[in-house]
Amino acid sequence: MSTVKFNAVIATPTQTGVAILCALALSACGGGSSGGAAQQNPNDGLLRSVANNEEFVSQFRALYTRPAPSSDQQNSMQPVAAEGATTGDSSSGNSYSTTYTLEADVDELDVLKYDGDYLYIAPTLQARCCFVTPGIATAEDTSFAPPSPDQSAGIRILSTTPSDATATQVSTIALDEGEYVQGMYINGSQLISIGSTQYYGAYGDQWLGIASWQQQNLHIKVYDTSTITEPELNWDIGIEGGLVDSRRIGDTLYIISRHSPYFDNMYYYPSNQNETDANAQRLASIQPQDLIPLLTINGESRPLFTPQNCLLSRDDQNQDYASPVYTSVTAIPLGSPNNAKSLCFNENSSGVYVSQEALYLSQYRYTVDGDASRIHKFTLNDGSPEYRGSADITGQLWGPGQSDFRMSERNGLLRAVTTRFTGDQQDSRDHQLSILGEASQSKSLELIASLPNTRRPEEIGKPNEALYGVRFLDDRAYFVTFEQIDPLYVIDLSNPADPYIAGKLEIPGVSDFLHPVNKELLLGLGRGGPSQQSIKLSLFNITDISHPQELNSLLLGVDGGWNYSEAQYNRHAFSYLPSATGADRLAVPVQSNYQDADESYRSENRLYLLEIESKAAPATASVKLISSILASPAPNDSWHPGQNRSVIDGDAVYFLSGDAIWSALWGGGTNQSGPY
């Protein structure tokens, strides 16, 4: 498939309908005959190109004019006729920490950004609590839901003075009514905010539905912050659809969105012939422009994609997974957003992983053999997403928590670890590592190797152990499984065709999040202590991968209380500042709920400041607690206070708890400032 080309047609709002028709007409000129099904090329892969406008429309129409799949495969929403009404890596080489990311040089959306001079703070999000895929249990399952947002403050910009760890608000960017900012990016003197009418947070079963993705909009605003006291809005970009995820690589912003075309008086889950007949009549006259979402830039609109920029599922005989939901990948050059390019495919997307070279979208699938995952690869050459191939693998990738750590690309190969639920009470879960590479003769991803296999049958994890922390690092992988103890597995990936379990370590507790200190040391963050009620930090010596060792561990939080850290499931809450000459510094937020001496229930939010000492001598290295910063306690309030983020700038630490900033100098103890 060639690099995506977009037929750009710019129009004023009053010309939108004409512009759409013109763009679709232009695309049809190069799209083959005016009717009939596509001639399937056996090399097309699991996604294939649309032949023409008629096929694009007829494929969508067919999905609503056949009986719904069995009840265990459809969305939990009951079939009803619509009534026409709806409801709405952390190190940058600088002297300060930045947003912790999965991949270096692939920036991620977040509510707190820092450029060394200014803190940019988005208001508390709405509905930040995550949907959980049934069958996967992690520490997040018992997390608190946050309060409703206060959007009135807008995006705040604070100037920092690291010498004394103080901050001063210098400006505020007002938000429109109903504008909920999901997060931001910084690109030089540009501040990019992204918001949407709905957002589902971590990947889960809500991603598999139809109705929950209808009539949504996302908005992208690009501000010039050259004059920090008066940021100027340069680009106001709107996309019809719901926000799935986003990344920034250099000067290009990637948006993954989903759009479900909406029609009044439709049976979205037809269950009998009368309902399918009614749908057929309703959709008899639809045109491509009725299905394609709009991209609006500074008030001028055009189709987000054309039919020829869209791919269709090859499940032509069994359409259980073909979907009336369009998943789009849009590349927006931040210097010239009018040159945005998009492609789409007509399947659900239940997870995203992005490397510097490629973007992988995955879909959870039900099969007669159990859980499965379909993965699609798109390369990102020159800011143009291009389909490269797909694969189906056993087990599911996505659940609550930091599940995109389950995927990693190295030297063009995708490494992924999945979990399959067996239904066997004696061994309910099987975990499998798969290594995939592009096939040379087709648009497919070939299985290079898997683990366990007939030659290396040892299972990853003991019977009934769930998979928690996962981290791929160069030619190794680290997996933490847990039921009653915490086995840390080290997988040798140096020969991609023959991965194997090189070593393992069993210790109390469980690690949800793994961070590489260097090639010899690995840090684990999770739960430990009596009844697993404390936050546990473990430092591992991985110099000898056949015999990993725990060097030391710390328990954070209030003794006897229930303690929880947002960093367990959201890496953006974890801050890390490496040092070339001294100790590395890290910050971990912990919310504690407990009874005090008079038996009153209390809740506090604290940022723990820690160091990795002697990292150059792995055998004697340790993690050490230095001090902490306490956000104002909230007596008798057990609700999670919202977002928790932090920035380390030299000796200054800034702690975002909810919508306020507290700060202190490193090791300053109780001498802290705030709230700002």
Side-chain angles (χ1 to χ4, degrees):
M1 179 179 173
S2 60
T3 300
V4 173
K5 296 181 179 179
F6 191 93
N7 296 309
V9 178
I10 306 298
T12 62
T14 57
Q15 298 171 319
T16 296
V18 176
I20 295 174
L21 291 172
C22 292
L24 295 174
L26 285 171
S27 67
C29 294
S33 62
S34 59
Q39 295 297 314
Q40 293 185 8
N41 184 333
N43 295 330
D44 275 348
L46 294 176
L47 297 178
R48 59 180 177 83
S49 301
V50 175
N52 47 58
N53 289 355
E54 175 56 30
E55 184 187 36
F56 180 76
V57 172
S58 62
Q59 186 278 339
F60 178 88
R61 186 186 294 120
L63 294 172
Y64 281 132
T65 54
R66 62 184 178 89
S70 59
S71 59
D72 64 338
Q73 295 185 10
Q74 63 179 316
N75 183 270
S76 59
M77 183 177 178
Q78 292 297 317
V80 294
E83 298 178 354
T86 63
T87 59
D89 171 278
S90 60
S91 174
S92 63
N94 298 314
S95 61
Y96 53 87
S97 64
T98 56
T99 300
Y100 194 99
T101 62
L102 192 158
E103 297 287 351
D105 299 322
V106 180
D107 198 8
E108 299 175 7
L109 186 74
D110 198 23
V111 296
L112 176 68
K113 290 291 181 177
Y114 186 55
D115 61 9
D117 295 308
Y118 300 100
L119 293 164
Y120 303 84
I121 306 167
T124 299
L125 300 180
Q126 184 180 40
R128 295 187 66 247
C129 193
C130 305
F131 292 91
V132 177
T133 299
I136 297 182
T138 72
E140 186 189 351
D141 290 354
T142 52
S143 63
F144 290 120
S148 298
D150 176 9
Q151 299 285 321
S152 61
I155 298 173
R156 298 196 299 137
I157 304 177
L158 276 63
S159 173
T160 63
T161 306
S163 60
D164 61 1
T166 58
T168 304
Q169 184 162 318
V170 295
S171 58
T172 302
I173 299 175
L175 301 178
D176 296 334
E177 184 177 355
E179 179 181 0
Y180 297 107
V181 176
Q182 308 298 336
M184 304 168 293
Y185 293 98
I186 297 173
N187 185 44
S189 60
Q190 290 179 315
L191 175 68
I192 303 99
S193 73
I194 300 177
S196 66
T197 50
Q198 282 182 283
Y199 182 61
Y200 293 109
Y203 312 126
D205 57 359
Q206 277 290 331
W207 291 52
L208 306 180
I210 297 171
S212 57
W213 290 89
Q214 289 179 331
Q215 293 193 304
Q216 293 192 49
N217 291 279
L218 64 95
H219 45 265
I220 304 157
K221 294 186 176 180
V222 183
Y223 299 92
D224 182 352
T225 57
S226 299
T227 303
I228 197 65
T229 55
E230 297 181 2
E232 181 181 358
L233 178 62
N234 283 350
W235 299 98
D236 190 349
I237 304 168
I239 296 177
E240 285 188 310
L243 176 64
V244 174
D245 214 333
S246 75
R247 295 291 187 272
R248 182 186 65 86
I249 302 176
D251 294 327
T252 302
L253 177 67
Y254 293 94
I255 298 291
I256 301 95
S257 59
R258 287 179 58 185
H259 174 66
S260 296
Y262 177 82
F263 299 91
D264 291 346
N265 302 312
M266 277 281 295
Y267 291 90
Y268 283 96
Y269 304 100
S271 58
N272 55 57
Q273 192 61 48
N274 289 337
E275 292 177 353
T276 58
D277 290 345
N279 283 351
Q281 182 177 359
R282 176 67 183 86
L283 299 175
S285 61
I286 60 169
Q287 299 297 315
Q289 62 266 28
D290 299 320
L291 306 178
I292 297 176
L294 289 180
L295 169 67
T296 302
I297 302 177
N298 288 350
E300 298 184 339
S301 299
R302 71 185 196 224
L304 182 64
F305 51 81
T306 66
Q308 281 64 46
N309 292 139
C310 205
L311 301 164
L312 300 181
S313 170
R314 284 289 298 273
D315 288 337
D316 296 311
Q317 301 304 315
N318 177 6
Q319 295 192 13
D320 285 350
Y321 301 103
S323 174
V325 176
Y326 296 107
T327 300
S328 302
V329 179
T330 302
I332 303 175
L334 291 171
S336 53
N338 283 320
N339 294 321
K341 302 175 182 179
S342 297
L343 61 73
C344 91
F345 65 97
N346 67 326
E347 288 186 351
N348 290 303
S349 175
S350 50
V352 178
Y353 163 73
V354 184
S355 70
Q356 293 184 44
E357 291 78 27
L359 181 150
Y360 295 86
L361 295 173
S362 66
Q363 176 195 43
Y364 176 68
R365 299 170 70 83
Y366 299 90
T367 73
V368 294
D369 297 321
D371 301 322
S373 295
R374 172 164 290 186
I375 300 173
H376 301 300
K377 178 179 180 179
F378 302 86
T379 54
L380 304 176
N381 298 326
D382 301 321
S384 299
E386 177 185 353
Y387 175 59
R388 297 298 300 173
S390 307
D392 288 330
I393 58 177
T394 300
Q396 58 177 277
L397 282 161
W398 306 107
Q402 310 191 77
S403 296
D404 48 352
F405 278 106
R406 287 184 172 220
M407 303 177 77
S408 170
E409 186 184 62
R410 180 172 170 81
N411 297 327
L413 299 180
L414 177 70
R415 296 90 60 91
V417 57
T418 54
T419 297
R420 184 176 70 89
F421 294 91
T422 65
D424 181 357
Q425 292 184 353
Q426 302 302 313
D427 187 5
S428 60
R429 296 173 173 89
D430 285 340
H431 310 297
Q432 175 177 296
L433 169 68
S434 300
I435 301 178
L436 305 168
E438 289 187 29
S440 58
Q441 301 297 320
S442 65
K443 296 283 188 180
S444 63
L445 301 178
E446 294 181 329
L447 183 64
I448 306 299
S450 63
L451 189 72
N453 54 55
T454 54
R455 181 166 175 259
R456 301 187 184 277
E458 181 181 358
E459 292 191 3
I460 301 170
K462 296 180 179 180
N464 291 320
E465 287 185 340
L467 184 62
Y468 282 74
V470 175
R471 197 67 187 256
F472 289 91
L473 301 169
D474 298 330
D475 58 1
R476 299 180 188 175
Y478 301 91
F479 302 154
V480 172
T481 59
F482 178 77
E483 186 184 23
Q484 294 180 342
I485 59 172
D486 177 359
L488 170 67
Y489 289 85
V490 184
I491 313 296
D492 191 318
L493 303 171
S494 56
N495 179 1
D498 185 25
Y500 66 94
I501 297 174
K504 58 186 175 182
L505 171 68
E506 295 184 359
I507 56 174
V510 60
S511 295
D512 300 289
F513 169 72
L514 300 172
H515 169 80
V517 175
N518 53 31
K519 291 183 178 181
E520 291 80 28
L521 297 172
L522 181 72
L523 187 69
L525 171 73
R527 307 196 66 80
S531 302
Q532 307 295 315
Q533 289 186 325
S534 296
I535 301 304
K536 181 182 179 182
L537 275 175
S538 296
L539 186 64
F540 301 102
N541 182 352
I542 52 175
T543 305
D544 180 359
I545 62 173
S546 64
H547 294 92
Q549 299 176 335
E550 184 182 44
L551 294 169
N552 80 307
S553 65
L554 296 174
L555 296 179
L556 307 179
V558 176
D559 290 342
W562 189 89
N563 302 283
Y564 163 79
S565 175
E566 187 175 349
Q568 292 174 251
Y569 74 92
N570 188 338
R571 56 182 168 271
H572 297 160
F574 179 82
S575 293
Y576 198 91
L577 184 63
S579 172
T581 57
D584 289 3
R585 293 177 170 179
L586 59 143
V588 178
V590 176
Q591 182 198 358
S592 300
N593 297 276
Y594 60 97
Q595 282 185 294
D596 61 15
D598 62 4
E599 297 187 352
S600 298
Y601 284 95
R602 304 284 180 175
S603 176
E604 69 175 37
N605 222 37
R606 190 179 294 272
L607 183 72
Y608 288 88
L609 310 181
L610 306 107
E611 292 183 352
I612 306 294
E613 296 187 334
S614 304
K615 67 176 183 178
T620 60
S622 64
V623 56
K624 180 181 179 181
L625 177 63
I626 302 301
S627 61
S628 64
I629 300 174
L630 176 65
S632 295
N636 304 315
D637 179 10
S638 62
W639 286 106
H640 192 289
Q643 54 212 11
N644 293 278
R645 301 291 187 272
S646 61
V647 167
I648 306 170
D649 187 348
D651 286 334
V653 183
Y654 297 94
F655 176 30
L656 174 66
S657 178
D659 291 320
I661 290 283
W662 280 260
S663 62
L665 289 172
W666 195 263
T670 58
N671 296 321
Q672 61 182 58
S673 302
Y676 298 105

